[in-house]
Amino acid sequence: MSGPRFAMALLGWLLMLPALAQEARPNNDDMMERPPVAAPREGYWADVLAHDPVMIRQGETWYAFVTGPGVTVYSSKDMATWQAEPQVFAEIPAWASTIVPGFNGHIWAPDISHHDGTYYLYYSISSGGRNTSAIGVATNRTLDRSDPAFEWVDHGIVLRSVPHRDMWNAIDAQLVEDDDGTPWLAFGSFWGGLKLVQLREDRLRPAEPQQWHTLAKRARSILVDDAEPEPGAIEAPFVFRRDGWYYLFVSFDHCCRGAKSDYRIMVGRSRTLTGPYLDRDGQRMDRGGATEVLRGTARWPGPGHNSAYTFDGRDYLVFHAYDVEDGGLPKLKVLPMTWDGDGWPVVDPSPLR
């Protein structure tokens, strides 16, 4: 090869090196088998590893609970930078291994709420791709670890799903109150869709006689084995109340594949908690309908498993998205949420570009 041609070829290879290096980085697309765990670090950080985030405020402090070993917890004074707090469970709940033998302690999809002086934390014990799952609940009188009353008390299983018995999956719980203050639990993932069940007044078990409703689902062939999750990729219900409406946020498609994740946030609404929930075009969510709120970008694919809150008169959408520039790791995102003239949520996607 002549000198000029060799120089041009060498330059071409040099220009390709950044792209090759990016392709060679781990994608973390096997999160179900090898979930990422945040490395210990001191102080407050804006770049926070988080999956399935929920939030609550006690006094002047916000707390975020996310999927992780023993349930990962962060605190913040401004919803922008966060510091690590002790995990909820120092030891895996004893009953978890009876649900998932060999359970690795990576507890999924927490939900945090407050009622009558008590904080309720619902959480999921499961394994990927199976509805061998259960939702548990723990309580605490405070979220401030410096308070002498701080102690998480586990109350065990609220709901359990079993393959070939149940066409629903007992994960991704959210505590919701109806207009009368009656507690309900929204939950579900894939299979027959997202469910709603009334709870007892103590919020620890289903009320009797049990009342169940289907909130949303996607098409699924009767030819698919009952133990298989696909098709019908829908999960993570979160109900947000505003102006006489119940807004049902859900996640379509797939999480947990790093930069290959195609999660997107969808919504419908109803005047009653039990539904039916309709999308912007009037299609029922329990028949496959839903209106898109937010989808991924090349920089931040897979936004999903959202929660929604009002703090100081402003509404926020809280979710995770996958960081392409950091190996596809899931990161915490908090974006303002506004409403259009027809009362539908609007989230500016520009921070994800």
Side-chain angles (χ1 to χ4, degrees):
M1 183 180 292
S2 66
R5 291 177 63 192
F6 177 78
M8 291 296 293
L10 180 60
L11 176 61
W13 275 104
L14 290 173
L15 291 174
M16 288 176 62
L17 282 177
L20 290 173
Q22 179 67 29
E23 290 174 2
R25 294 185 67 178
N27 177 60
N28 284 288
D29 58 0
D30 59 349
M31 291 183 189
M32 303 297 276
E33 291 75 27
R34 295 191 300 168
V37 177
R41 57 183 180 179
E42 298 294 328
Y44 287 84
W45 298 81
D47 184 41
V48 176
L49 185 73
H51 213 270
D52 314 327
V54 293
M55 285 174 52
I56 199 167
R57 183 168 65 180
Q58 179 181 351
E60 298 302 316
T61 302
W62 284 267
Y63 293 89
F65 294 79
V66 305
T67 289
V71 181
T72 299
V73 186
Y74 300 103
S75 66
S76 175
K77 297 297 184 181
D78 57 9
M79 287 197 299
T81 59
W82 300 82
Q83 71 171 358
E85 296 282 338
Q87 64 194 46
V88 171
F89 296 110
E91 297 181 359
I92 300 171
W95 59 267
S97 61
T98 66
I99 303 299
V100 181
F103 180 65
N104 63 6
H106 206 81
I107 297 176
W108 294 0
D111 176 71
I112 188 69
S113 58
H114 183 261
H115 173 72
D116 196 23
T118 298
Y119 292 92
Y120 293 79
L121 181 86
Y122 297 89
Y123 59 92
S124 303
I125 303 294
S126 189
S127 60
R130 302 178 63 197
N131 62 338
T132 306
S133 309
I135 295 167
V137 61
T139 58
N140 205 331
R141 302 296 293 180
T142 178
L143 302 180
D144 180 1
R145 58 177 166 170
S146 67
D147 189 324
F150 180 88
E151 180 186 15
W152 285 106
V153 178
D154 186 40
H155 300 276
I157 298 174
V158 181
L159 296 170
R160 179 180 181 181
S161 55
V162 177
H164 292 291
R165 186 193 74 177
D166 303 311
M167 276 297 294
W168 43 270
N169 194 10
I171 66 171
D172 296 358
Q174 185 216 358
L175 189 285
V176 192
E177 291 184 355
D178 64 17
D179 291 337
D180 298 323
T182 301
W184 298 74
L185 201 68
F187 66 94
S189 171
F190 286 74
W191 280 274
L194 310 182
K195 306 299 180 180
L196 182 75
V197 62
Q198 185 179 335
L199 297 181
R200 300 185 321 205
E201 290 186 8
D202 66 7
R203 304 177 180 227
L204 303 181
R205 302 289 184 270
E208 299 292 346
Q210 294 188 17
Q211 295 187 47
W212 291 67
H213 302 268
T214 296
L215 296 177
K217 62 183 177 181
R218 298 179 77 183
R220 177 185 173 91
S221 172
I222 62 172
L223 301 178
V224 177
D225 188 280
D226 286 354
E228 294 298 321
E230 296 277 8
I234 181 174
E235 55 191 2
F238 194 93
V239 178
F240 180 76
R241 297 177 64 178
R242 179 181 184 273
D243 289 348
W245 290 100
Y246 293 90
Y247 289 84
L248 174 61
F249 291 90
V250 303
S251 295
F252 271 18
D253 303 330
H254 302 87
C255 72
C256 313
R257 301 179 179 185
K260 298 178 182 178
S261 303
D262 59 358
Y263 244 11
R264 52 196 173 109
I265 299 172
M266 313 292 287
V267 75
R269 67 185 184 184
S270 173
R271 289 293 188 185
T272 61
L273 175 59
T274 55
Y277 287 83
L278 308 182
D279 66 14
R280 184 188 287 270
D281 298 323
Q283 300 300 309
R284 291 175 57 139
M285 292 185 73
D286 60 357
R287 299 176 183 173
T291 295
E292 188 172 280
V293 177
L294 190 67
R295 68 168 50 228
T297 64
R299 173 67 178 84
W300 291 99
H305 204 115
N306 76 281
S307 50
Y309 307 97
T310 301
F311 295 119
D312 300 325
R314 298 188 67 187
D315 296 332
Y316 296 89
L317 194 73
V318 179
F319 59 96
H320 70 250
Y322 299 90
D323 189 347
V324 169
E325 296 185 3
D326 193 11
L329 290 173
K331 302 291 180 66
L332 176 65
K333 296 294 178 184
V334 181
L335 296 183
M337 182 167 60
T338 59
W339 305 84
D340 68 15
D342 295 321
W344 290 95
V346 177
V347 178
D348 181 3
S350 58
L352 301 183
R353 292 172 184 152

